[in-house]
Amino acid sequence: MREDIEIVPSLLSADFAILAEEIKKVEEAGCKRLHLDVMDGNFVPNITMGPVIIESIRRRTKLLLDAHLMVQEPERYLDDFKRAGVNSIIIHQEACCNFLKTVQQIKKLDTVAGIALRPGTPVKSIKDVIQEMELILIMTVEPGFGGQPYMAGIEKKIIEVRNLMKEKGLEIPIEVDGGINTETAPLVVKAGATRLVAGHAIFTGDVVENVEKLRHSVESI
Ligand code: DX5
Ligand code: ZN
């Protein structure tokens, strides 16, 4: 087993009427963290969950909680998400009024600060801020909805981020998000991603089995 590869279930594809059961399955599958997609209907067209739901999730599990904020001006809500019990906050640079200030605020809350890059956001746009980041999330679909197909060829971007890190002497975990399944997981792992977010591929059918299949698909990479 590749101990360095982490499978991170995205709750967006779970059945929200039985969230507690779905989360229990994620724990049974041996995952360490949950990916929570927060969408505001503004930065992206869809609306999903907010701090109220996350607070209830926090009461049910000890899993690490990563909030992926697809929200305009996320700086307005950082305290709320911290209070709800998240461990990491992942933001999009173009959504912030002052990105670096927002990153500092996240860190001050004793929360891991991550940056998410949409497919159209070039790697050069993070050149001057990457050294402040504790996680790089590369979107492999256009943010907004679960269950979309992986964008072919986006591995190049993972390699570009790795090269930028090498250039700067940094080692930051690279996470991918969108369209990850047993076919696309080997591609992103080969390119250098170590954290794989997956929603549809995990919550369609048996969660424990699906996580196992995903792990197996990257075992020999
Ligand atoms: C998309 C979200 C993803 C999504 C991934 O905007 O950021 O986290 O839930 O879901 P799948 O794996 O179904 O593409
Ligand atoms: Zn996400």
Side-chain angles (χ1 to χ4, degrees), residues 6 8-10 33-39 43-44 54 64-75 77-78 81-82 86-96 99 102-103 105-107 109 111-118 126 132-139 143 172-177 195-197:
E6 226 188 288
V8 187
S10 160
R33 65 178 79 236
L34 264 184
H35 182 89
L36 305 170
D37 288 301
V38 179
M39 304 186 191
F43 183 71
V44 289
I54 295 179
L64 294 169
L65 300 179
D66 295 354
H68 176 193
L69 303 189
M70 285 158 275
V71 169
Q72 206 60 46
E73 294 172 27
E75 53 273 19
Y77 302 105
L78 302 179
F81 283 103
K82 172 65 184 180
V86 304
N87 303 92
S88 309
I89 297 181
I90 305 164
I91 53 174
H92 289 256
Q93 195 172 2
E94 51 276 63
C96 300
F99 180 73
T102 310
V103 169
Q105 265 175 273
I106 294 173
K107 289 182 177 172
L109 292 171
T111 304
V112 172
I115 184 169
L117 279 81
R118 288 199 284 213
I126 62 166
E132 297 300 329
M133 304 316 305
E134 297 165 309
L135 171 71
I136 317 284
L137 178 97
I138 299 178
M139 298 285 316
I172 307 163
I174 299 180
E175 185 166 78
V176 286
D177 185 10
R195 286 199 204 168
L196 316 184
V197 174

Side-chain angles (χ1 to χ4, degrees), residues 50-59 65 78-86:
V52 174
I53 291 183
I54 295 179
E55 208 184 315
S56 301
I57 294 172
R58 176 76 295 163
R59 280 198 292 268
L65 300 179
L78 302 179
D79 291 332
D80 296 342
F81 283 103
K82 172 65 184 180
R83 224 173 292 126
V86 304

